[in-house]
Amino acid sequence: MTPPLLTLEGVELGVGGRRFCENLHWSVSPGECWGVLGPNGAGKSTLLHALAGLRPVEAGTIRLQGTPIETLSRRAVARSVGILFQDQEYPFPATVLETVRAGRYPHRPFWSGESAEDQRLALTALWETGLEGFDARRVESLSGGERRRMEAATLLVQSPRVWLLDEPTNHLDLGHQIALLELLLRKSRGQQGAMILVVHDINLAARFCDRFLFLFGSGESCQGTGEEMLQEALLTRLFRHPMRAAHFGEARCWMPL
Amino acid sequence: MSRPKNKPVHISCENSRQRGAGTLLAWLLLGVCVIFGVALAVGGAGGGVSALWALLDGGGDPLLGRVIVELRLPRVAGAMAVGALLAVSGVLMQTLLRNPLADPYVLGLSGGASCGAILALAAGASGIWVDGGAWLGALATMLVVFGLAGGPGGWERGARLLLTGVVVASGWGAAVSFLLYLMPDERLRGALFWLMGDVSRGTDPRLALGVLALVVGLVWPFSRALNLLAGGPDRAAALGVAVTPLRVMLYLLSSLAAASAVATAGSIGFVGLVTPHLLRLAGCGDHRVLLPASALLGGGLLTLADLLARTVIAPRQMPAGILTALLGAPLFLWLLRRSGR
């Protein structure tokens, strides 16, 4: 069995007196794709930020390939963990190519500039996300969906092993949602990585994720395989709204009543 | 993604971009050299390019030579250094606060430095202690502005930050007025200098030039990290930048740069705001180019302003700070209106 990429031991997470998870034990192994589901304000984004080492946990330890994440340098973490933020602002003018190429930063020595290889990787990532020809465009001139794909391209260029995606399908049309997730999943599997996905669309999550972590917003959490977790009663309790499964032959689709 | 099967074509625009940056820096350097020469050659005592040549040749009118070397050279070098310091400080603050409207003057740093210097003067201090007072004033202002406009996510709120800066600046203005009101008449003229922004005081420009070299030398290697920081602290951290130490360094160095500028030439507005903004508008967002280009453009602009300030109403002179504020205020309003859209 391959050693896990991420291990959480008794992690407690909260903001301003609110508890998002208590005593969370969780391990993420190569090849897995996890869906993190929960109501608004349940701490899904906070959890992703903690997994990327961007915020401390209140108790417990997060280990990245066996090493406590807070003892690693930012650069070392960034080589292994990449995150697609829920929202991203661009206060200063920059071109798409510059922004995407910045994903190579953790892989380059401090003193060196970008190499021809970085350039090639950035252009390839733009091509893969359907943004070829956008390299000289200004970020502020992009539409919401184009910007989202550019951010995904940055993540491709960073090419981490743990891919943390915070509502990656924001601003994307249906076709792009599925195409982007397929691309990211293929890339993460290609390098023996794992993907952790925060989404609100249960059907999208069910399509891509094989395991789930539910955060109830009260500090309670539970985890398991898709088979175990995608149950009417559990989802109803999670979203505090009655949920039903509809069957179309082999396929299953989740609907709020 | 669904896409045609042809391989991506990698046309490298990198070489042309690097050439573009090199051309920009070369033009700026040339412009600064021209302004430097003209500012040395022009003045009330006469001169002209011929006198400059004669001086370099080792001959010429000895009196004029002394005017150029002992009066004009420190003044011009001082203006260069102060303009460059303000512009670099502006770049650093804008990146640190992720706000293109931040600069030492707008955020009240210049006011704080002036107040610190005048307080030191009022206490009977002189020389290096006045400069120290200016630095402490700038540092304290930076703490207050960051502290009040800060908090979780607070640095991102442009309006709150600018409002804090404006309020702090007006507070310092009142404190300075109070000190000036209490000050004995014979010290008043010396204290007024801090308010006007004037490079004619004849301060030794070597300290300012040294600070400029120190700040640019320390910050420039971090240019790529600054590029990332401009996109937000979380994003920079996620891509491997050690954000907290970098921010502390930027905070200290931008305060040091602003305070040294104020200690040399008093409170000069808008150079720190307009210079980086113009360069960013010209598509120069990469800090590897932006930092040296800002230093050159800022130094050139302030030297030009000082040249105009001492020639336009000759034989009288006016403080360069009046001219930069007169030109900078409408430009700032225009930028504010543009960015509001």
Side-chain angles (χ1 to χ4, degrees):
Chain A
M1 177 160 162
T2 45
L5 286 170
L6 276 175
T7 325
L8 275 68
E9 295 162 0
V11 164
E12 187 176 315
L13 209 57
V15 168
R18 290 188 59 185
R19 285 277 156 274
F20 293 146
C21 52
E22 284 166 345
N23 197 26
L24 176 63
H25 292 266
W26 187 25
S27 114
V28 177
S29 295
E32 291 177 349
C33 180
W34 283 82
V36 178
L37 299 185
N40 289 143
K44 304 182 295 291
S45 296
T46 310
L47 177 65
L48 284 199
H49 285 211
L51 295 178
L54 298 177
R55 57 169 299 127
V57 292
E58 313 209 332
T61 316
I62 298 178
R63 290 179 188 277
L64 178 60
Q65 291 166 300
T67 317
I69 200 163
E70 70 275 10
T71 65
L72 293 165
S73 75
R74 279 290 351 143
R75 193 173 272 269
V77 173
R79 279 195 288 264
S80 300
V81 184
I83 179 167
L84 187 66
F85 290 104
Q86 192 175 346
D87 284 308
Q88 177 71 54
E89 280 178 46
Y90 301 89
F92 298 109
T95 67
V96 170
L97 184 67
E98 280 168 354
T99 310
V100 169
R101 207 174 45 192
R104 289 295 296 163
Y105 181 80
H107 299 281
R108 303 289 304 166
F110 177 77
W111 284 102
S112 81
E114 292 89 4
S115 66
E117 173 71 2
D118 295 341
Q119 184 81 1
R120 195 186 61 75
L121 287 169
L123 287 169
T124 307
L126 285 177
W127 178 76
E128 284 172 321
T129 46
L131 292 173
E132 69 266 48
F134 278 65
D135 44 337
R137 281 273 295 273
R138 299 248 153 203
V139 174
E140 58 270 25
S141 76
L142 299 184
S143 75
E146 288 165 347
R147 210 178 270 205
R148 204 63 183 146
R149 276 143 62 201
M150 176 193 75
E151 286 155 7
T154 312
L155 195 62
L156 288 178
V157 166
Q158 187 182 356
S159 90
R161 289 197 68 194
V162 180
W163 302 58
L164 306 172
L165 311 177
D166 198 349
E167 301 188 24
T169 51
N170 276 357
H171 306 293
L172 292 181
D173 62 60
L174 209 68
H176 276 116
Q177 289 185 9
I178 290 175
L180 185 78
L181 285 176
E182 276 175 352
L183 173 70
L184 292 174
L185 192 62
R186 196 172 66 240
K187 289 283 176 181
S188 76
R189 294 235 158 104
Q191 45 208 16
Q192 292 298 299
M195 206 157 100
I196 299 170
L197 193 62
V198 169
V199 276
H200 283 295
D201 184 339
I202 305 173
N203 295 308
L204 203 63
R207 183 185 178 115
F208 288 99
C209 302
D210 39 32
R211 281 146 213 273
F212 290 87
L213 174 73
F214 287 0
L215 296 178
F216 290 88
S218 56
E220 189 192 346
S221 63
C222 63
Q223 51 185 291
T225 61
E227 200 68 26
E228 295 161 355
M229 301 295 286
L230 296 179
Q231 305 285 344
E232 285 177 355
L234 196 55
L235 286 171
T236 299
R237 187 158 78 83
L238 182 67
F239 291 110
R240 294 166 204 145
H241 188 91
M243 300 291 296
R244 288 283 178 275
H247 295 269
F248 299 100
E250 290 289 291
R252 186 173 57 166
C253 169
W254 291 96
M255 292 170 61
L257 283 191
Chain B
M1 300 260 136
S2 61
R3 53 192 34 283
K5 287 280 174 265
N6 59 324
K7 284 289 287 177
V9 187
H10 296 144
I11 303 164
S12 177
C13 55
E14 190 60 14
N15 289 338
S16 66
R17 280 184 59 79
Q18 275 168 2
R19 260 204 307 280
T23 316
L24 176 72
L25 286 177
W27 276 110
L28 282 174
L29 192 63
L30 183 70
V32 163
C33 288
V34 169
I35 292 173
F36 190 77
V38 171
L40 278 184
V42 175
V49 181
S50 57
L52 219 53
W53 271 125
L55 183 69
L56 286 174
D57 223 22
D61 180 358
L63 188 66
L64 190 57
R66 283 192 62 190
V67 167
I68 290 176
V69 172
E70 286 173 22
L71 290 180
R72 285 186 206 157
L73 184 61
R75 178 170 182 160
V76 172
M80 285 277 171
V82 166
L85 278 172
L86 288 172
V88 168
S89 178
V91 170
L92 299 185
M93 280 178 201
Q94 290 168 13
T95 305
L96 190 56
L97 300 166
R98 294 187 69 206
N99 193 317
L101 296 177
D103 105 307
Y105 193 72
V106 175
L107 292 184
L109 254 83
S110 299
S114 305
C115 195
I118 292 174
L119 207 59
L121 276 177
S126 62
I128 191 83
W129 293 105
V130 180
D131 295 356
W135 201 64
L136 280 182
L139 209 63
T141 311
M142 199 85 164
L143 270 178
V144 169
V145 172
F146 277 43
L148 292 183
W155 287 9
E156 327 296 322
R157 315 261 178 279
R160 186 155 139 214
L161 177 83
L162 285 182
L163 275 176
T164 311
V166 167
V167 168
V168 168
S170 68
W172 283 126
V176 166
S177 303
F178 178 68
L179 284 172
L180 291 179
Y181 185 72
L182 291 183
M183 213 170 243
D185 281 355
E186 66 272 15
R187 286 210 200 140
L188 201 55
R189 186 137 188 98
L192 269 181
F193 154 83
W194 296 97
L195 289 185
M196 301 255 195
D198 195 350
V199 283
S200 70
R201 192 173 61 140
T203 326
D204 190 344
R206 277 176 293 190
L207 181 68
L209 285 169
V211 170
L212 177 66
L214 178 80
V215 170
V216 175
L218 282 177
V219 166
W220 194 77
F222 290 90
S223 293
R224 292 178 65 220
L226 292 186
N227 291 344
L228 290 177
L229 194 62
D234 275 344
R235 177 166 178 268
L239 287 174
V241 177
V243 168
T244 308
L246 183 65
R247 277 182 143 178
V248 169
M249 183 183 86
L250 291 183
Y251 159 69
L252 289 175
L253 289 179
S254 59
S255 305
L256 175 67
S260 308
V262 177
T264 309
S267 172
I268 288 180
F270 298 104
V271 175
L273 173 81
V274 169
T275 310
H277 216 105
L278 288 177
L279 287 167
R280 283 204 172 99
L281 282 180
C284 172
D286 186 338
H287 285 75
R288 283 172 291 188
V289 185
L290 185 59
L291 278 169
S294 292
L296 287 172
L297 186 61
L301 281 178
L302 187 57
T303 312
L304 190 65
D306 182 50
L307 179 64
L308 291 176
R310 65 189 163 92
T311 49
V312 168
I313 53 165
R316 295 202 61 190
Q317 306 193 348
M318 62 174 162
I322 293 181
L323 204 70
T324 61
L326 273 178
L327 297 176
L331 199 58
F332 180 77
L333 291 176
W334 177 69
L335 291 175
L336 200 62
R337 190 175 151 72
R338 252 183 110 255
S339 70
R341 291 217 188 114

